[in-house]
Amino acid sequence: MDYLCYRFSELPITEMDFSILSAEEQLFTFKRKQARLLLRQEIARRTHQAPADIRFSTNEHGKPYTEGIHFNISHSQDLLCLAFHHSDIGVDIQHKCEKYNIDRLAPRMMSEEQLQRFNNSTDRERDFYYCWSIAEALVKLHGSTIWHAKDYPFILHGTSVSLSFENEIEVQLFQPQQGYYGAIAYRLSTCHPLKTNI
């Protein structure tokens, strides 16, 4: 498993060749087009094919996939994260936002046990954003949506995570940049996590 993080504001826009995107991708917002171009380039590098030749499909919840590699993508504010693995993977990053009512949002993604821990936490803000990232990464790994977050109960223990529903999934927390929180969920393997920042 490994992942790459990019800042949209630092991407060399004049050097990005959007002509390799499909007709459907050409209709994406500018940030989504940038993300899809970077994704195509990275998949091409890893699978030894031309970026324009990569064909994407989506599951019933809109999660994209392609043959030969498992990947997931997340973006928040100025940051983009691409994650790759040889099996199912989900990634999520969240930018801290003062306007969120964490007490109202927390029950939507946390099990009763995790919610109780969250309510007693000495760092509720950090725990909220990590829990949100964990919940999103788990549902994305399973190809579902955040509305099914409670189907994948977990407990946050400081900076480690234990799952209540499956043994073969690992969750890794990370802080990609100041003010951001992230989580990657992936099926266990002999590969060691590797972070790459660009």
Short mmCIF file of all heavy atoms in Angstrom, two decimals, residues 101-141:
data_model
loop_
_atom_site.label_atom_id
_atom_site.label_comp_id
_atom_site.label_asym_id
_atom_site.label_seq_id
_atom_site.Cartn_x
_atom_site.Cartn_y
_atom_site.Cartn_z
N ASN A 101 -20.48 21.39 12.96
CA ASN A 101 -20.97 21.11 14.31
C ASN A 101 -20.62 19.65 14.60
O ASN A 101 -21.37 18.74 14.24
CB ASN A 101 -22.47 21.35 14.38
CG ASN A 101 -23.03 21.12 15.78
OD1 ASN A 101 -22.47 20.35 16.56
ND2 ASN A 101 -24.12 21.80 16.09
N ILE A 102 -19.48 19.44 15.25
CA ILE A 102 -19.00 18.08 15.43
C ILE A 102 -19.91 17.25 16.34
O ILE A 102 -20.01 16.04 16.18
CB ILE A 102 -17.54 18.04 15.91
CG1 ILE A 102 -17.37 18.65 17.29
CG2 ILE A 102 -16.63 18.74 14.92
CD1 ILE A 102 -15.95 18.54 17.83
N ASP A 103 -20.61 17.90 17.27
CA ASP A 103 -21.51 17.15 18.14
C ASP A 103 -22.73 16.63 17.39
O ASP A 103 -23.28 15.59 17.73
CB ASP A 103 -21.97 18.04 19.31
CG ASP A 103 -20.83 18.34 20.26
OD1 ASP A 103 -20.15 17.38 20.68
OD2 ASP A 103 -20.60 19.52 20.57
N ARG A 104 -23.14 17.34 16.35
CA ARG A 104 -24.28 16.90 15.55
C ARG A 104 -23.86 15.84 14.53
O ARG A 104 -24.61 14.91 14.23
CB ARG A 104 -24.92 18.09 14.84
CG ARG A 104 -26.32 17.77 14.34
CD ARG A 104 -26.94 18.92 13.60
NE ARG A 104 -26.39 18.92 12.25
CZ ARG A 104 -26.08 20.00 11.56
NH1 ARG A 104 -26.26 21.18 12.06
NH2 ARG A 104 -25.59 19.91 10.35
N LEU A 105 -22.64 15.98 13.98
CA LEU A 105 -22.19 15.06 12.94
C LEU A 105 -21.66 13.73 13.48
O LEU A 105 -21.79 12.70 12.83
CB LEU A 105 -21.11 15.73 12.09
CG LEU A 105 -21.57 16.91 11.23
CD1 LEU A 105 -20.36 17.61 10.61
CD2 LEU A 105 -22.52 16.43 10.14
N ALA A 106 -21.06 13.75 14.65
CA ALA A 106 -20.41 12.55 15.20
C ALA A 106 -21.34 11.33 15.26
O ALA A 106 -20.94 10.23 14.86
CB ALA A 106 -19.81 12.85 16.56
N PRO A 107 -22.60 11.45 15.74
CA PRO A 107 -23.45 10.27 15.84
C PRO A 107 -23.78 9.62 14.49
O PRO A 107 -24.17 8.45 14.46
CB PRO A 107 -24.73 10.81 16.50
CG PRO A 107 -24.31 12.06 17.20
CD PRO A 107 -23.23 12.64 16.35
N ARG A 108 -23.61 10.35 13.40
CA ARG A 108 -23.93 9.79 12.09
C ARG A 108 -22.90 8.77 11.61
O ARG A 108 -23.19 7.94 10.76
CB ARG A 108 -24.01 10.90 11.04
CG ARG A 108 -25.14 11.87 11.29
CD ARG A 108 -25.20 12.89 10.19
NE ARG A 108 -26.21 13.91 10.48
CZ ARG A 108 -26.52 14.89 9.66
NH1 ARG A 108 -25.90 14.99 8.49
NH2 ARG A 108 -27.43 15.78 9.98
N MET A 109 -21.66 8.84 12.16
CA MET A 109 -20.61 7.97 11.66
C MET A 109 -19.99 7.07 12.72
O MET A 109 -19.20 6.19 12.40
CB MET A 109 -19.51 8.81 11.02
CG MET A 109 -18.76 9.67 12.01
SD MET A 109 -17.63 10.83 11.25
CE MET A 109 -18.76 12.12 10.76
N MET A 110 -20.35 7.28 13.99
CA MET A 110 -19.71 6.53 15.08
C MET A 110 -20.67 5.53 15.70
O MET A 110 -21.85 5.81 15.88
CB MET A 110 -19.21 7.49 16.16
CG MET A 110 -18.16 8.46 15.70
SD MET A 110 -17.65 9.55 17.08
CE MET A 110 -16.76 10.82 16.19
N SER A 111 -20.12 4.38 16.07
CA SER A 111 -20.89 3.40 16.86
C SER A 111 -21.13 3.98 18.24
O SER A 111 -20.51 4.97 18.64
CB SER A 111 -20.10 2.10 16.96
OG SER A 111 -18.91 2.31 17.73
N GLU A 112 -22.01 3.36 19.00
CA GLU A 112 -22.30 3.85 20.36
C GLU A 112 -21.04 3.87 21.23
O GLU A 112 -20.81 4.83 21.97
CB GLU A 112 -23.39 2.99 21.01
CG GLU A 112 -24.77 3.18 20.42
CD GLU A 112 -25.26 4.62 20.54
OE1 GLU A 112 -25.05 5.25 21.60
OE2 GLU A 112 -25.84 5.12 19.56
N GLU A 113 -20.24 2.81 21.12
CA GLU A 113 -19.02 2.75 21.93
C GLU A 113 -18.04 3.84 21.54
O GLU A 113 -17.46 4.53 22.39
CB GLU A 113 -18.35 1.37 21.81
CG GLU A 113 -17.13 1.22 22.70
CD GLU A 113 -16.49 -0.15 22.60
OE1 GLU A 113 -17.02 -1.03 21.90
OE2 GLU A 113 -15.41 -0.32 23.22
N GLN A 114 -17.85 4.05 20.22
CA GLN A 114 -16.93 5.09 19.76
C GLN A 114 -17.46 6.48 20.13
O GLN A 114 -16.70 7.35 20.52
CB GLN A 114 -16.70 5.00 18.25
CG GLN A 114 -15.80 6.09 17.70
CD GLN A 114 -14.43 6.14 18.37
OE1 GLN A 114 -13.75 5.12 18.45
NE2 GLN A 114 -14.03 7.30 18.87
N LEU A 115 -18.77 6.67 20.03
CA LEU A 115 -19.36 7.96 20.38
C LEU A 115 -19.14 8.27 21.85
O LEU A 115 -18.84 9.42 22.21
CB LEU A 115 -20.85 7.96 20.03
CG LEU A 115 -21.57 9.29 20.19
CD1 LEU A 115 -20.95 10.37 19.32
CD2 LEU A 115 -23.06 9.13 19.86
N GLN A 116 -19.27 7.27 22.70
CA GLN A 116 -19.03 7.48 24.13
C GLN A 116 -17.57 7.87 24.37
O GLN A 116 -17.28 8.78 25.16
CB GLN A 116 -19.38 6.20 24.90
CG GLN A 116 -19.33 6.37 26.40
CD GLN A 116 -19.81 5.12 27.11
OE1 GLN A 116 -19.68 4.00 26.63
NE2 GLN A 116 -20.39 5.31 28.28
N ARG A 117 -16.64 7.20 23.70
CA ARG A 117 -15.23 7.55 23.82
C ARG A 117 -14.98 8.97 23.32
O ARG A 117 -14.23 9.72 23.92
CB ARG A 117 -14.36 6.57 23.00
CG ARG A 117 -14.21 5.22 23.64
CD ARG A 117 -13.45 4.29 22.68
NE ARG A 117 -13.13 3.04 23.32
CZ ARG A 117 -11.96 2.78 23.90
NH1 ARG A 117 -11.01 3.69 23.92
NH2 ARG A 117 -11.74 1.62 24.47
N PHE A 118 -15.63 9.31 22.21
CA PHE A 118 -15.47 10.65 21.64
C PHE A 118 -15.96 11.71 22.61
O PHE A 118 -15.31 12.74 22.82
CB PHE A 118 -16.24 10.73 20.31
CG PHE A 118 -16.41 12.12 19.78
CD1 PHE A 118 -15.33 12.81 19.26
CD2 PHE A 118 -17.64 12.74 19.82
CE1 PHE A 118 -15.48 14.10 18.77
CE2 PHE A 118 -17.81 14.02 19.33
CZ PHE A 118 -16.72 14.71 18.81
N ASN A 119 -17.12 11.48 23.23
CA ASN A 119 -17.68 12.46 24.16
C ASN A 119 -16.81 12.66 25.39
O ASN A 119 -16.85 13.72 26.02
CB ASN A 119 -19.10 12.04 24.58
CG ASN A 119 -20.09 12.23 23.44
OD1 ASN A 119 -19.92 13.09 22.59
ND2 ASN A 119 -21.13 11.40 23.43
N ASN A 120 -15.99 11.66 25.73
CA ASN A 120 -15.09 11.76 26.89
C ASN A 120 -13.65 12.10 26.50
O ASN A 120 -12.77 12.12 27.36
CB ASN A 120 -15.11 10.44 27.67
CG ASN A 120 -16.47 10.16 28.28
OD1 ASN A 120 -17.15 11.07 28.71
ND2 ASN A 120 -16.87 8.89 28.29
N SER A 121 -13.42 12.36 25.23
CA SER A 121 -12.06 12.60 24.74
C SER A 121 -11.52 13.94 25.23
O SER A 121 -12.26 14.91 25.39
CB SER A 121 -12.05 12.59 23.21
OG SER A 121 -10.79 12.99 22.72
N THR A 122 -10.21 13.98 25.42
CA THR A 122 -9.56 15.24 25.79
C THR A 122 -9.15 16.04 24.55
O THR A 122 -8.71 17.18 24.67
CB THR A 122 -8.31 14.97 26.66
OG1 THR A 122 -7.43 14.11 25.93
CG2 THR A 122 -8.70 14.33 27.98
N ASP A 123 -9.27 15.41 23.38
CA ASP A 123 -8.98 16.11 22.11
C ASP A 123 -10.09 15.76 21.12
O ASP A 123 -9.88 15.04 20.15
CB ASP A 123 -7.61 15.70 21.57
CG ASP A 123 -7.12 16.65 20.48
OD1 ASP A 123 -7.95 17.40 19.91
OD2 ASP A 123 -5.91 16.64 20.19
N ARG A 124 -11.27 16.30 21.38
CA ARG A 124 -12.45 15.94 20.59
C ARG A 124 -12.33 16.35 19.13
O ARG A 124 -12.80 15.65 18.25
CB ARG A 124 -13.71 16.55 21.23
CG ARG A 124 -13.96 15.98 22.62
CD ARG A 124 -15.13 16.64 23.33
NE ARG A 124 -16.37 16.09 22.84
CZ ARG A 124 -17.29 16.78 22.15
NH1 ARG A 124 -17.10 18.05 21.87
NH2 ARG A 124 -18.38 16.20 21.74
N GLU A 125 -11.71 17.48 18.87
CA GLU A 125 -11.58 17.94 17.48
C GLU A 125 -10.73 16.95 16.67
O GLU A 125 -11.13 16.51 15.60
CB GLU A 125 -10.96 19.32 17.43
CG GLU A 125 -10.86 19.89 16.04
CD GLU A 125 -10.29 21.29 16.05
OE1 GLU A 125 -9.05 21.42 16.03
OE2 GLU A 125 -11.09 22.26 16.10
N ARG A 126 -9.56 16.62 17.19
CA ARG A 126 -8.70 15.65 16.49
C ARG A 126 -9.43 14.33 16.30
O ARG A 126 -9.44 13.77 15.20
CB ARG A 126 -7.42 15.43 17.29
CG ARG A 126 -6.45 14.43 16.62
CD ARG A 126 -5.54 13.77 17.61
NE ARG A 126 -6.32 12.92 18.51
CZ ARG A 126 -5.82 12.30 19.57
NH1 ARG A 126 -4.55 12.44 19.88
NH2 ARG A 126 -6.58 11.55 20.33
N ASP A 127 -10.05 13.83 17.37
CA ASP A 127 -10.74 12.54 17.28
C ASP A 127 -11.90 12.59 16.29
O ASP A 127 -12.15 11.63 15.56
CB ASP A 127 -11.24 12.11 18.66
CG ASP A 127 -10.09 11.67 19.57
OD1 ASP A 127 -8.93 11.65 19.10
OD2 ASP A 127 -10.36 11.38 20.74
N PHE A 128 -12.61 13.70 16.23
CA PHE A 128 -13.72 13.81 15.28
C PHE A 128 -13.22 13.69 13.85
O PHE A 128 -13.75 12.90 13.05
CB PHE A 128 -14.45 15.15 15.45
CG PHE A 128 -15.42 15.44 14.34
CD1 PHE A 128 -16.64 14.79 14.29
CD2 PHE A 128 -15.09 16.33 13.33
CE1 PHE A 128 -17.53 15.03 13.24
CE2 PHE A 128 -15.98 16.58 12.30
CZ PHE A 128 -17.20 15.93 12.25
N TYR A 129 -12.18 14.43 13.49
CA TYR A 129 -11.70 14.39 12.12
C TYR A 129 -11.06 13.05 11.76
O TYR A 129 -11.21 12.57 10.63
CB TYR A 129 -10.75 15.56 11.84
CG TYR A 129 -11.50 16.85 11.67
CD1 TYR A 129 -11.56 17.80 12.69
CD2 TYR A 129 -12.22 17.11 10.51
CE1 TYR A 129 -12.29 18.97 12.55
CE2 TYR A 129 -12.95 18.28 10.35
CZ TYR A 129 -12.98 19.21 11.37
OH TYR A 129 -13.71 20.36 11.22
N TYR A 130 -10.36 12.44 12.70
CA TYR A 130 -9.85 11.11 12.43
C TYR A 130 -10.99 10.11 12.27
O TYR A 130 -10.98 9.27 11.36
CB TYR A 130 -8.87 10.65 13.51
CG TYR A 130 -7.45 11.08 13.27
CD1 TYR A 130 -6.66 11.56 14.29
CD2 TYR A 130 -6.88 10.98 12.00
CE1 TYR A 130 -5.35 11.96 14.07
CE2 TYR A 130 -5.56 11.37 11.77
CZ TYR A 130 -4.81 11.87 12.80
OH TYR A 130 -3.51 12.25 12.56
N CYS A 131 -12.00 10.19 13.14
CA CYS A 131 -13.14 9.26 13.03
C CYS A 131 -13.88 9.45 11.71
O CYS A 131 -14.30 8.48 11.07
CB CYS A 131 -14.09 9.44 14.20
SG CYS A 131 -13.49 8.71 15.74
N TRP A 132 -14.05 10.69 11.29
CA TRP A 132 -14.70 10.96 10.01
C TRP A 132 -13.88 10.34 8.87
O TRP A 132 -14.43 9.67 7.99
CB TRP A 132 -14.83 12.47 9.82
CG TRP A 132 -15.64 12.89 8.62
CD1 TRP A 132 -16.16 12.08 7.64
CD2 TRP A 132 -16.03 14.22 8.28
NE1 TRP A 132 -16.84 12.83 6.70
CE2 TRP A 132 -16.77 14.15 7.07
CE3 TRP A 132 -15.80 15.45 8.87
CZ2 TRP A 132 -17.29 15.28 6.45
CZ3 TRP A 132 -16.33 16.58 8.25
CH2 TRP A 132 -17.07 16.49 7.07
N SER A 133 -12.56 10.53 8.91
CA SER A 133 -11.70 9.96 7.87
C SER A 133 -11.74 8.43 7.90
O SER A 133 -11.77 7.79 6.84
CB SER A 133 -10.25 10.44 8.06
OG SER A 133 -10.17 11.83 7.85
N ILE A 134 -11.73 7.85 9.08
CA ILE A 134 -11.79 6.38 9.21
C ILE A 134 -13.09 5.87 8.61
O ILE A 134 -13.11 4.92 7.81
CB ILE A 134 -11.67 5.94 10.68
CG1 ILE A 134 -10.30 6.28 11.23
CG2 ILE A 134 -11.97 4.45 10.83
CD1 ILE A 134 -10.22 6.24 12.76
N ALA A 135 -14.21 6.49 9.00
CA ALA A 135 -15.52 6.05 8.50
C ALA A 135 -15.58 6.13 6.98
O ALA A 135 -16.03 5.19 6.30
CB ALA A 135 -16.63 6.89 9.13
N GLU A 136 -15.11 7.25 6.42
CA GLU A 136 -15.12 7.41 4.96
C GLU A 136 -14.21 6.39 4.28
O GLU A 136 -14.56 5.81 3.26
CB GLU A 136 -14.68 8.83 4.59
CG GLU A 136 -15.68 9.90 4.92
CD GLU A 136 -16.65 10.19 3.77
OE1 GLU A 136 -16.74 9.39 2.83
OE2 GLU A 136 -17.32 11.23 3.85
N ALA A 137 -13.01 6.18 4.83
CA ALA A 137 -12.08 5.23 4.23
C ALA A 137 -12.66 3.82 4.24
O ALA A 137 -12.52 3.08 3.26
CB ALA A 137 -10.74 5.26 4.96
N LEU A 138 -13.32 3.44 5.32
CA LEU A 138 -13.90 2.10 5.41
C LEU A 138 -15.04 1.90 4.41
O LEU A 138 -15.13 0.87 3.75
CB LEU A 138 -14.38 1.82 6.83
CG LEU A 138 -13.28 1.58 7.86
CD1 LEU A 138 -13.84 1.58 9.27
CD2 LEU A 138 -12.55 0.26 7.57
N VAL A 139 -15.94 2.89 4.30
CA VAL A 139 -17.04 2.71 3.35
C VAL A 139 -16.52 2.75 1.92
O VAL A 139 -17.02 2.03 1.04
CB VAL A 139 -18.19 3.73 3.56
CG1 VAL A 139 -18.83 3.54 4.92
CG2 VAL A 139 -17.75 5.15 3.36
N LYS A 140 -15.48 3.55 1.66
CA LYS A 140 -14.92 3.60 0.31
C LYS A 140 -14.19 2.30 -0.03
O LYS A 140 -14.24 1.84 -1.17
CB LYS A 140 -14.01 4.81 0.18
CG LYS A 140 -14.79 6.13 0.17
CD LYS A 140 -13.90 7.34 0.31
CE LYS A 140 -13.19 7.67 -0.99
NZ LYS A 140 -12.38 8.91 -0.86
N LEU A 141 -13.53 1.69 0.95
CA LEU A 141 -12.90 0.40 0.73
C LEU A 141 -13.95 -0.62 0.29
O LEU A 141 -13.73 -1.42 -0.62
CB LEU A 141 -12.19 -0.08 1.99
CG LEU A 141 -11.59 -1.50 1.93
CD1 LEU A 141 -10.24 -1.52 2.63
CD2 LEU A 141 -12.51 -2.52 2.57
#
